């Protein structure tokens, strides 16, 4: 390959990467639709950072390819040395800046500093809403149930183990709305004798605050809900609260994704609420986002979003019966 050929190859590869990037939203290679109240903030920051980095990526790669083409060795001169301060034609308008090295160094220090400062300040409130416990709200769905739904999630190689309240405890919570935290105040943090354990299925209901108390029984894992724009490492010896809620179904797209399947005798997920049919856009995965061992690739759960707390309770009743069948009556 001639020396100029290399610059063409580099240019083509870069262009192909860029085109691949550009078409990925239509190929299903992009982030899934955000369905939680965190999504707007997170997506805004993601796109701001993406556009800034894309701009500079294209700029620098284009210059590299251009310089490779322009200064490709010809084989005639063994040690090409620039002996003049001549700039090539297309850089003539910039000679003023380029000639004075001090000014160009100021520019490439100052511009990135401004961009980094902007990103640093722009992310403050999104981070606070997702991570500061003071921002953890008690969630209201349309039924005005006071407290958040609390779920204990413990990770281990290689599954997510979800701990739910018993039906009796859940009913007490629903009835005792004047004091919503009383029955459930310590639930998330403290296992109870009547808890119901379910593996890899996180059941919640629409537009109601969920607080997951995340622990791990062995190594580091990372609890990742791509559709909810939530990601939190599980650290050995620590219990970390993670909260989120789906968008208001009245104002936003419907987020419910489960229904009872009579043939399978279980709630199935991945159901488009508009059509009632299976739709991959309504599968809400819970992948582990921290390489945690040989079975990391298969450590994946699903989020089931129910219509309301009544449907959630119906599922819980069935899950509890199943759990007791497997573990024996208490
Ligand atoms: Cu893991």
């Amino acid at each position: 390959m001639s020396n100029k050929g290399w610059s063409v190859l580099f240019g083509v590869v870069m262009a192909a990467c860029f085109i691949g990037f550009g078409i990925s939203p239509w190929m299903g290679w992009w982030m899934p639709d955000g369905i939680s109240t965190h999504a707007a903030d997170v997506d805004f920051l993601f796109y701001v950072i993406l556009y800034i980095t894309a701009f500079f990526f294209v700029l620098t790669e284009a210059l590299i390819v251009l310089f490779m083409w322009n200064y490709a060795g010809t084989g005639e001169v063994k040690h090409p040395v620039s002996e003049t301060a001549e700039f090539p034609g297309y850089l003539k308008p910039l000679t003023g800046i380029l000639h004075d090295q001090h000014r160009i160094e100021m520019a490439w220090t100052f511009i990135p500093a401004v961009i980094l400062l902007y990103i640093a300040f722009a992310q403050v409130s999104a981070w606070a809403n997702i991570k500061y416990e003071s921002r953890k709200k008690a969630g209201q769905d349309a039924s005005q149930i006071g407290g958040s739904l609390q779920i204990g999630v413990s990770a281990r190689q290689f599954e997510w183990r979800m701990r739910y309240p018993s039906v009796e405890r859940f009913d007490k919570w629903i009835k005792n709305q004047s004091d919503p935290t009383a029955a459930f105040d310590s639930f998330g943090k403290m296992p109870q004798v009547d808890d119901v354990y379910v593996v890899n299925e996180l059941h919640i209901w629409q537009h109601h605050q969920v607080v997951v108390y995340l622990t791990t029984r062995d190594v580091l894992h990372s609890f990742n809900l791509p559709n909810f724009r939530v990601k939190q490492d599980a650290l050995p010896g620590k219990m970390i609260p993670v909260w989120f809620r789906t968008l208001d179904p009245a104002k936003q797209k419907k987020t419910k994704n489960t229904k009872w399947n009579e043939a399978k005798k279980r709630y199935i997920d991945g159901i488009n609420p508009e059509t009632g049919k299976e739709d991959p856009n309504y599968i809400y995965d819970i992948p582990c986002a921290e390489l945690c061992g040989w079975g990391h690739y298969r450590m994946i759960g699903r989020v089931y979003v129910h219509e309301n707390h009544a449907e959630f309770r119906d599922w819980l009743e069935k899950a509890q019966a199943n759990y007791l069948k497997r573990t024996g009556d208490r």
Side-chain angles (χ1 to χ4, degrees), residues 306-321:
H306 290 275
E307 175 86 41
N308 49 35
H309 76 273
E311 193 185 282
F312 171 84
R313 188 197 179 282
D314 181 60
W315 165 79
L316 185 62
E317 207 174 356
K318 295 176 164 96
Q320 180 167 326

Side-chain angles (χ1 to χ4, degrees), residues 155-158 160 220-222 288-292 296 299:
R156 65 172 203 175
Q157 291 171 317
F158 297 96
W160 303 105
L220 279 176
H221 298 274
S222 183
C288 176
E290 183 73 60
L291 184 58
C292 58
H296 166 69
M299 182 166 174

